[in-house]
Amino acid sequence: MKTTTGLILSFICLFLPISLFAQQKTTGLKAKDGFIDIPLEKSYWQNDSDRVSYEKIQDTATMYIHPRAGYTRLRDFDFTTGTIEFDWQPIDTMFSSFYFRFQNKEASECIYLRTPRAGNPLAMDALQYAPFIKGVNLWDLLVHYQAPANFSKRKWNHIKLVISEKQMLIYLNDPAKPLLWIPQLEGDVSHGTLAFDGESIIANLKVKHGSIEGLANTPGIDPTANDPRYIRHWQFVEPRDFPFGQEPKGDDLPEANASWTSIDAERRGLINITRLYGVNPARSLIWLKTTIKADSDQQKWLDFGFSDEVWVFINGRYAYADKNYYAHPIMKPPFGRCSIENSAINLPLQKGNNEILIGLANNFYGWGIIARLRDLNGIVALGENDL
């Protein structure tokens, strides 16, 4: 009888919602009206620098993260989908960050406020979303995941996140209108704990597992999905170290017998090398190639985004070389981030197949390219490497 009962209980457990297990894992905390109030007490949080203090402000428990404290993460907690709310005074001189599905500093989802933008409701990068992939914050590849935000550094701001499997809505100080919609969460993680970084004060942190308020759990529409001008199919060879100051010469180009691997664009036409290799702080070089087939000899403009350095060849001849260094005078709009706005290349196409070969070097945050022809008049095929 005991054996049968145990089997039945095991069978039932297999079909219980995952969110229930996540909720039970929350250090024994109980939900009230569906929400779990997360204690802002030292025993619940981990910070290796010990630069975090816990105190009451007007009878409200708060967590004060001091300068240079590093990550402060919630212990023994696992979050997948649901609603997260908290009050926030983001007083850091540069950034105040909140992480969810946090595995470690290598992998998580993140939103952050650029605190110098406080009081400027027209600053378009005041609120930003970026995943951490292989330890790299992808903010420079995802320029579209940002919004102006009217917030204060010295007063409480209320944050509400509604997170489904693949989408997120961010509310800031207005519970009726989301400030930023993320149609596809870009991280490589599906669950993890919560964490903070940057000098700030946090209060009233609560979580409602599984509450997505009707938000779809599949990715939203890619606004470029119906645009055939993007070159979405490429091939690449393994990257290698490439010392600073070095420019590609004949010996640096791929060998005739090089082993090529196919790679397809992510949303908005992005060829995202970071997702494969992270970043090498010593500078790396990778080669990418694709093919454009034209019905006649012609000139064709290619709108082109890249991070951080490129060398472009067409049919074995130099066509373009440039650099896009953030915070340097040479940076491209918008502000040194990878975007189709970065540059344009006038390609001399010949009748038939044209090989586009791109050397891409990087040592700073994310790296990748975006390529889109301005028109397809006279183009027979695009990005088909086996022509």
Side-chain angles (χ1 to χ4, degrees):
M1 183 66 176
K2 291 182 179 179
T3 302
T4 303
T5 302
L7 287 173
I8 292 173
L9 289 173
S10 298
F11 180 80
I12 292 172
C13 287
L14 287 173
F15 292 92
L16 286 174
I18 293 174
S19 61
L20 289 181
F21 288 104
Q23 185 168 308
Q24 291 170 358
K25 192 177 178 181
T26 317
T27 59
L29 299 176
K30 296 184 181 298
K32 181 180 180 182
D33 297 327
F35 277 97
I36 299 170
D37 291 322
I38 306 298
L40 298 176
E41 302 171 10
K42 185 174 183 178
S43 61
Y44 288 85
W45 295 85
Q46 177 180 339
N47 180 279
D48 296 336
S49 72
D50 206 28
R51 292 194 179 104
V52 180
S53 59
Y54 305 84
E55 57 187 63
K56 283 195 172 183
I57 299 177
Q58 297 179 345
D59 293 326
T60 298
T62 66
M63 179 169 66
Y64 184 5
I65 301 173
H66 295 270
R68 301 179 301 281
Y71 295 105
T72 302
R73 57 178 294 169
L74 182 59
R75 300 177 188 268
D76 301 322
F77 189 83
D78 195 57
F79 175 85
T80 300
T81 66
T83 299
I84 303 171
E85 295 190 48
F86 57 93
D87 294 319
W88 202 8
Q89 288 189 37
I91 56 181
D92 195 88
T93 57
M94 292 297 293
F95 304 97
S96 288
S97 303
F98 171 70
Y99 305 83
F100 61 97
R101 297 178 181 172
F102 182 93
Q103 296 285 331
N104 48 50
K105 65 181 182 180
E106 298 291 312
S108 71
E109 303 280 14
C110 176
I111 68 164
Y112 54 94
L113 292 168
R114 289 181 178 264
T115 50
R117 310 296 194 257
N120 181 1
L122 298 180
M124 62 188 299
D125 61 352
L127 171 67
Q128 293 181 303
Y129 155 76
F132 277 67
I133 295 175
K134 293 181 170 60
V136 182
N137 180 333
L138 259 63
W139 71 278
D140 61 335
L141 298 186
L142 305 174
V143 65
H144 43 282
Y145 290 149
Q146 62 183 23
N150 190 7
F151 70 98
S152 171
K153 291 177 64 175
R154 299 299 173 184
K155 297 180 180 179
W156 290 112
N157 304 276
H158 189 72
I159 291 281
K160 176 182 175 181
L161 308 178
V162 179
I163 301 161
S164 72
E165 291 180 24
K166 285 297 184 180
Q167 297 195 39
M168 174 170 65
L169 294 175
I170 305 174
Y171 298 79
L172 175 61
N173 295 329
D174 186 346
K177 182 180 179 181
L179 190 63
L180 183 60
W181 170 48
I182 307 301
Q184 178 167 322
L185 292 165
E186 303 277 2
D188 288 339
V189 290
S190 60
H191 68 96
T193 190
L194 313 182
F196 292 89
D197 188 21
E199 185 181 6
S200 58
I201 307 173
I202 296 97
N204 300 316
L205 174 61
K206 59 183 181 178
V207 174
K208 190 173 185 179
H209 289 288
S211 175
I212 60 174
E213 300 185 1
L215 185 63
N217 59 13
T218 55
I221 295 173
D222 177 355
T224 72
N226 296 328
D227 191 337
R229 298 173 299 160
Y230 283 85
I231 306 178
R232 302 180 189 274
H233 310 296
W234 294 76
Q235 293 180 307
F236 69 93
V237 293
E238 291 286 317
R240 62 182 180 85
D241 291 343
F242 198 63
F244 279 101
Q246 186 171 333
E247 299 285 318
K249 300 184 292 293
D251 292 344
D252 298 312
L253 271 64
E255 298 179 356
N257 62 350
S259 178
W260 294 89
T261 303
S262 295
I263 182 172
D264 289 338
E266 299 184 1
R267 294 174 65 88
R268 294 176 179 260
L270 173 66
I271 301 297
N272 188 353
I273 303 302
T274 319
R275 199 176 298 276
L276 298 176
Y277 296 107
V279 66
N280 180 1
R283 191 174 184 238
S284 292
L285 172 70
I286 194 170
W287 289 100
L288 298 147
K289 73 174 182 178
T290 193
T291 303
I292 300 174
K293 187 175 183 179
D295 66 4
S296 62
D297 294 348
Q298 57 186 283
Q299 300 279 331
K300 191 67 70 176
W301 281 102
L302 180 79
D303 293 315
F304 187 60
F306 63 96
S307 180
D308 293 315
E309 304 172 73
V310 289
W311 301 266
V312 181
F313 299 80
I314 179 167
N315 298 324
R317 301 180 64 184
Y318 250 123
Y320 181 81
D322 212 341
K323 305 182 189 301
N324 187 16
Y325 291 145
Y326 175 74
H328 289 71
I330 200 173
M331 71 180 178
K332 308 300 178 188
F335 304 107
R337 302 168 75 184
C338 181
S339 167
I340 200 68
E341 301 175 43
N342 290 159
S343 62
I345 308 170
N346 195 8
L347 296 177
L349 299 178
Q350 63 187 20
K351 182 178 180 179
N353 296 334
N354 297 266
E355 182 186 79
I356 311 298
L357 178 68
I358 296 176
L360 177 69
N362 174 268
N363 76 302
F364 179 79
Y365 289 91
W367 53 327
I369 64 167
I370 308 169
R372 182 188 67 193
L373 290 178
R374 289 191 182 171
D375 69 81
L376 298 179
N377 296 329
I379 301 301
V380 177
L382 191 63
E384 297 181 14
N385 291 292
D386 56 351
L387 291 175

